[in-house]
């Protein structure tokens, strides 16, 4: 039986981004339905950010503690893997979404459980697990926040091996003795770091010539060095050509010849949009495609369809998706109220400008790698006249205080025509908490001459700012 109801806004997908779009639209006085096929809270809460960071926090804390004289000798033992996994389970609310469902109720958003599909202009159908169908109409907007799934390569034998994806890597309830990790991006290096520390013998198989290819090259170099020192086998310029499982053991054949044996194999080889079964064909869009949007997050060519978060492929990060959600919520509300959008102001309430210029990211490895804005290569390929300023973070007083033998590096990219920063990268212990200062400098387009007056406290790691500025000025 088909039931029908109309709202101002229908949101597809209740991950962190869908939840925030719903919240902002409600705050603007609009009625909102949200459709979720799995757990309210999305990939981030149950199989991505939250469990991965719960696994990594003790790893990083132990690594830091081992660099503090007087403390070092008290933290030489193994991690208590069972306790770490139990903490991870608590952190993911044991894969139950009651808390987040309660929050949706508290803000007056109606939750529909089931698979949502667009069924023509401003129409959505929701198919419940019992096969019942509900039709939802949207007076103002349908917002696609359906996120991504792991993308697996076409490889002989892969399905039979039952490989880990990010889901298994973040939710496994036991530590495999040997873990092969395929990939060199953020998920691969974070999970390699976590499972090596939890007791697995990790072999990291990287197709390119370094790790973290989207960051400055020194980030991948320092993380690879630390992973190797932790006991992982890091191999670059290798491709897996075939996998099979024999008597429980996974055997991965390598392009260069030879095989790697493991108990589990994780493929961290990219993400694919969850738009393949979304009814996009009913409105002339390509199923399975990333949805291209303008800066108000509205799908190109549509007056009512928005795509926010991972689904639009602008920046596959929770915080950036939630930023987009705030912008989209404001834009939808303004359009619903007939208020002209502030489209002429790139830094106004209705334009996700930071997606282009000021995206921050932290890789929670030992050492941490954190960046905001553009790398040198990105700035140069954008045709900017730039200078890269580098500094060895070991020479900062606060770094030496933080950790004995602190190793790290910083780089800022200066736009020589405007004398503002286009990008900053820090690698080293505890730099994750430092990167917001760079985001503020980049998004605020703070002139270098004014940054000179932003005095970092002594003796903190933030003094790296002073050293970078001195290096730039030749002081
Ligand atoms: C291992 C890992 C670690 C990560 N760590 C971090 C981190 O530390 N920090 C960070 O910023 N980012 C991190 N990310 C990225 C982050 O998880 C994503 O950017 C974020 O989850 C995107 O949010 P979203 O709401 O767009 O999509 P998702 O979180 O994927 O949520 C989408 C929701 O839509 C639902 N859905 C899909 N299709 C339908 C449908 N047809 N009908 C109804 N519901 C549907 C899904 O069930 C899901 O609940 C990590 C990713 C991975 C894989």
């Amino acid at each position: 039986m088909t039931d029908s109801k109309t709202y101002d806004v229908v949101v597809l997908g209740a991950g962190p981004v869908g939840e925030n779009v719903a919240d902002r639209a409600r705050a603007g006085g609009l009625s909102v339905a949200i459709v979720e096929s799995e757990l309210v809270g999305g990939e981030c809460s149950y199989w991505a950010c939250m469990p991965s960071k719960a696994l990594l926090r003790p790893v990083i804390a132990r690594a830091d503690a081992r660099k503090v004289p007087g403390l070092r000798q008290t933290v030489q033992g193994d991690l208590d893997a069972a306790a770490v996994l139990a903490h991870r389970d608590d952190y993911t609310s044991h894969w139950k979404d009651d808390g987040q469902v309660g929050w949706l109720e508290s803000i007056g958003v109606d939750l529909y459980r089931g698979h949502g599909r667009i069924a023509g202009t401003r129409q959505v159908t929701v198919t419940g697990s019992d096969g019942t169908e509900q039709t939802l109409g949207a007076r103002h907007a349908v917002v696609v926040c359906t996120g991504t799934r792991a993308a697996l390569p076409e490889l002989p034998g892969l399905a039979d091996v039952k490989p880990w994806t990010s889901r298994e890597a973040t939710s496994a309830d036991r530590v495999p003795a040997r873990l092969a990790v395929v990939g060199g991006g953020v998920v691969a290096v974070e999970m390699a770091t976590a499972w090596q520390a939890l007791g697995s013998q990790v072999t990291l198989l990287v197709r390119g010539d370094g790790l973290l290819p989207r960051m400055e090259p020194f980030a991948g170099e320092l993380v690879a060095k630390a992973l190797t020192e932790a006991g992982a086998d890091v191999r670059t310029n290798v491709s897996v050509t075939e996998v099979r499982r024999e008597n429980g053991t996974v055997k991965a054949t390598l392009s260069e010849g030879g095989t790697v044996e493991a108990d589990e194999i994780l493929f961290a080889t990219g993400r694919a949009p969850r738009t393949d079964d979304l009814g996009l064909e009913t409105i002339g869009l390509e199923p399975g495609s990333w949805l291209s949007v303008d800066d108000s997050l509205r799908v190109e060519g549509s007056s009512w369809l928005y795509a926010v978060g991972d689904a639009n492929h602008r920046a596959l990060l929770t915080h950036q998706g939630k930023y987009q959600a705030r912008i989209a919520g404001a834009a939808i509300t303004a359009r619903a109220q007939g208020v002209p959008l502030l489209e002429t102001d790139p830094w106004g309430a209705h334009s996700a400008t930071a997606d282009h210029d000021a995206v921050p990211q932290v890789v929670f490895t030992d050492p941490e790698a954190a960046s905001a804005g553009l790398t040198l290569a990105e700035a140069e390929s954008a045709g900017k006249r730039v200078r890269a300023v580098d500094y060895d973070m070991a020479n900062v007083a606060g770094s030496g205080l933080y950790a004995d033998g602190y190793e790290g590096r910083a780089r800022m990219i200066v736009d020589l025509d405007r004398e503002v920063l286009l990008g900053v990268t820090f690698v080293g212990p505890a730099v994750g908490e430092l990167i917001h200062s760079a985001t503020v400098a980049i998004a605020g387009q703070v002139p270098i001459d004014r940054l000179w007056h932003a005095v970092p406290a002594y003796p903190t790691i933030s003094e790296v700012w002073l050293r970078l500025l001195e290096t730039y000025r030749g002081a």
Side-chain angles (χ1 to χ4, degrees), residues 13 17 36-37 42-43 48-49 53 115-116 146-147 310 316-319:
V17 177
E36 175 52 54
S37 58
E43 205 71 16
C49 329
K53 267 74 251 182
H115 188 99
T146 50
D310 277 12
L316 274 61
L317 292 161
T318 293
H319 47 268

Side-chain angles (χ1 to χ4, degrees), residues 12-19 35-45 47-50 52-53 112 114-117 145-148 166-167 170 186-187 190-191 271 274 277-278 308-311 315-321 361-362 364:
L12 289 170
V17 177
E19 288 180 314
V35 185
E36 175 52 54
S37 58
E38 294 185 76
L39 292 174
V40 174
E43 205 71 16
C44 176
S45 298
W47 300 285
C49 329
M50 301 289 272
S52 63
K53 267 74 251 182
Y112 290 82
H115 188 99
R117 287 181 190 85
C145 304
T146 50
T148 57
S166 49
R167 283 206 169 191
T170 50
V186 179
V187 174
E190 285 191 346
M191 290 299 91
R271 311 292 300 173
R274 289 177 67 171
D277 187 15
L278 203 57
V308 189
D310 277 12
L316 274 61
L317 292 161
T318 293
H319 47 268
Q320 211 63 26
Q361 173 154 34
V362 176
F364 290 79

